[in-house]
Amino acid sequence: MTITPQNIAIIGAGIMGLSNAFALLQDGHRITLYDPAGFPADNASFIAGGMLAPFSEIEHMPASWIEAGLESINLWQEIAATLPAPIDFHKTGSLFVAHKEDLHILERFASHLKSQKSCRRVGREEINALEPHLNGRFTTGLYLENEAYLYPSQTMQALCDDLRGQGAQMKQEWADPAILDQQYDIVLDCRGHSAENTDSNLRGVKGEIVLARNPEFSLSRPVRLMHPRYPLYIVPRPDHVFMIGATNIEGAGGEHVSLRSAMELMSALYTLHPSFGDAQIIALHSGIRPSYEDNLPRITVRGNIIACNGLFRHGFLLSPFLSECVRKHIAGEKDNLHTSFVSIENEDHDQRTRKNLRGAA
Ligand SMILES: Cc1cc2nc3c(=O)[nH]c(=O)nc-3n(C[C@H](O)[C@H](O)[C@H](O)COP(=O)(O)OP(=O)(O)OC[C@H]3O[C@@H](n4cnc5c(N)ncnc54)[C@H](O)[C@@H]3O)c2cc1C
């Protein structure tokens, strides 16, 4: 199929905007990215865990999205192989463990995964073989071998460098979809939670994390620690740095990490292994997850503006898949899987008139 190159503006350089830019450049489109926070920008994507964990998120996702997540993992594998700079992408699965008093939470979670062949119960010995530094502290767990993880800030840096190298323009400024709409063939609105002011269905869910360095400890994969208040995870980063996250706070504003959240996260880390008592705190961060009522993403087409938003806890997990849906929509390719994730709303009269005028010019 021959694709006519279009002038496309992408507003927002979170993972959704960058992933769209990457996919659309493959089809030869001319891309201009807008973000006042820079490239890469310091946003919810930049501080995320980077877990590509569709089964771990089964409580938040219907089966069709789990399929989408698995396709994204394959797409990330291809992207990682294409990027000139190596990125920390690992397909080593995820391990769930629980302290004795929280074993019932692990059992409840296991019941959601009953039908999934890729989930396996593991005992003390297998946990130790997977993660020797847990050192016999957990007697029962679940291993989800098809999950993966990557390092978000490094991946976003590598994507920005690659997009620049492929000729994408980057403008460090605010942009308004309704204005750019008149200057570009297509506008992708990827503003994350900032789009709340024009999309009343969108809400922000705050997530807080702690980064700590512990030279005494290593992990080969994300470890999820069942916790009564929110799902906790510890994700390994290079250099014995570990990220622990994340809180899940509805309606919370502000960019700070609360004292209570910091204490809860750090004490959970300490219960994972006492050597964290001497760990060095590197940073505390918070981000706002853009979310719709059902916590599922939406691609909405209104005239020549395509909004991609509501990625909630799944920005890295789902963005390559969503970008594939956007790419196919723009290329006019239809298939049963991707087409059904794009919802097309009627163009309003103004948009049609503008398009006709542009066509006539
Ligand atoms: C603590 C935490 C941990 C997470 N862990 C994971 C995880 O392990 N796995 C996973 O898949 N997901 C995870 N997520 C979710 C993921 O981070 C989000 O779903 C994702 O960041 C949303 O990406 P986005 O591009 O839509 O928005 P954002 O990353 O918020 O980016 C939006 C960008 O738009 C820009 N912008 C806004 N308005 C304008 C404007 N008018 N003009 C120009 N630019 C504008 C902003 O400056 C910003 O840079 C986590 C989130 C948090 C908070």
Side-chain angles (χ1 to χ4, degrees):
M1 176 183 264
T2 320
I3 291 164
T4 312
Q6 313 262 359
N7 275 326
I8 301 181
I10 300 182
I11 308 181
I15 194 56
M16 193 64 254
L18 297 179
S19 164
N20 278 333
F22 187 85
L24 292 168
L25 279 166
Q26 315 307 310
D27 279 356
H29 298 297
R30 291 177 290 274
I31 303 295
T32 307
L33 274 151
Y34 289 82
D35 199 314
F39 307 93
D42 183 3
N43 46 31
S45 305
F46 201 71
I47 62 129
M51 286 170 298
L52 311 173
F55 300 111
S56 300
E57 294 291 323
I58 200 160
E59 286 169 304
H60 300 282
M61 294 215 289
S64 56
W65 284 105
I66 291 180
E67 284 300 311
L70 290 172
E71 181 177 326
S72 272
I73 293 176
N74 292 335
L75 289 167
W76 271 121
Q77 203 154 9
E78 286 169 24
I79 295 169
T82 314
L83 289 173
I87 61 163
D88 234 36
F89 167 90
H90 303 281
K91 202 171 166 192
T92 43
S94 316
L95 179 65
F96 279 70
V97 291
H99 293 296
K100 227 188 287 167
E101 62 278 17
D102 296 326
L103 277 176
H104 62 285
I105 312 175
L106 187 75
E107 287 310 322
R108 200 193 63 216
F109 179 72
S111 69
H112 286 288
L113 285 166
K114 256 196 328 256
S115 58
Q116 303 298 335
K117 289 191 194 77
S118 63
C119 166
R120 182 167 100 232
R121 258 178 204 281
V122 284
R124 192 195 299 263
E125 270 178 28
E126 213 169 342
I127 295 175
N128 284 351
L130 288 165
E131 296 296 354
H133 280 220
L134 291 180
N135 208 14
R137 299 178 65 76
F138 298 95
T139 54
T140 175
L142 297 170
Y143 178 46
L144 279 59
E145 60 195 341
N146 291 332
E147 299 195 331
Y149 73 103
L150 50 70
Y151 186 1
S153 55
Q154 181 204 49
T155 302
M156 289 169 73
Q157 180 70 61
L159 276 171
C160 286
D161 293 345
D162 184 61
L163 297 175
R164 237 181 244 112
Q166 291 195 62
Q169 302 293 307
M170 298 192 177
K171 300 197 176 191
Q172 195 163 348
E173 51 193 79
W174 291 100
D176 182 341
I179 292 175
L180 289 193
D181 168 33
Q182 293 159 47
Q183 298 163 18
Y184 289 87
D185 299 319
I186 296 170
V187 176
L188 295 187
D189 180 356
C190 306
R191 289 177 291 155
H193 83 96
S194 304
E196 268 179 75
N197 55 6
T198 50
D199 184 347
S200 58
N201 294 317
L202 205 58
R203 74 188 201 285
V205 178
K206 184 175 178 177
E208 298 151 299
I209 60 131
V210 175
L211 282 174
R213 179 176 288 117
N214 179 0
E216 312 276 295
F217 192 76
S218 293
L219 288 178
S220 302
R221 57 187 55 74
V223 170
R224 301 237 179 181
L225 187 60
M226 301 321 265
H227 184 277
R229 270 167 55 80
Y230 24 70
L232 285 176
Y233 47 78
I234 297 95
V235 191
R237 299 273 187 255
D239 256 345
H240 295 276
V241 172
F242 299 88
M243 169 190 166
I244 176 146
T247 56
N248 212 37
I249 306 174
E250 292 282 345
E255 290 176 359
H256 69 279
V257 176
S258 74
L259 186 86
R260 178 160 100 162
S261 298
M263 287 191 332
E264 276 181 356
L265 291 171
M266 289 189 226
S267 65
L269 203 50
Y270 181 59
T271 66
L272 187 77
H273 199 273
S275 64
F276 276 101
D278 291 320
Q280 177 193 0
I281 299 168
I282 295 186
L284 305 166
H285 290 296
S286 74
I288 306 290
R289 307 177 182 97
S291 319
Y292 288 111
E293 202 178 22
D294 55 6
N295 294 333
L296 295 172
R298 291 183 194 166
I299 301 173
T300 315
V301 182
R302 290 183 198 94
N304 63 335
I305 301 179
I306 304 177
C308 308
N309 216 327
L311 278 81
F312 185 50
R313 294 167 56 93
H314 313 125
F316 282 84
L317 173 61
L318 295 174
S319 51
F321 173 82
L322 294 168
S323 297
E324 197 48 19
C325 298
V326 169
R327 190 192 69 71
K328 289 198 172 189
H329 171 76
I330 291 175
E333 283 175 43
K334 294 203 182 338
D335 66 27
N336 287 340
L337 180 61
H338 301 88
T339 311
S340 64
F341 286 92
V342 178
S343 114
I344 301 176
E345 294 188 357
N346 282 339
E347 294 180 38
D348 66 33
H349 176 260
D350 279 1
Q351 281 168 328
R352 274 202 304 272
T353 311
R354 269 204 302 271
K355 221 187 242 169
N356 291 341
L357 286 174
R358 237 199 333 261

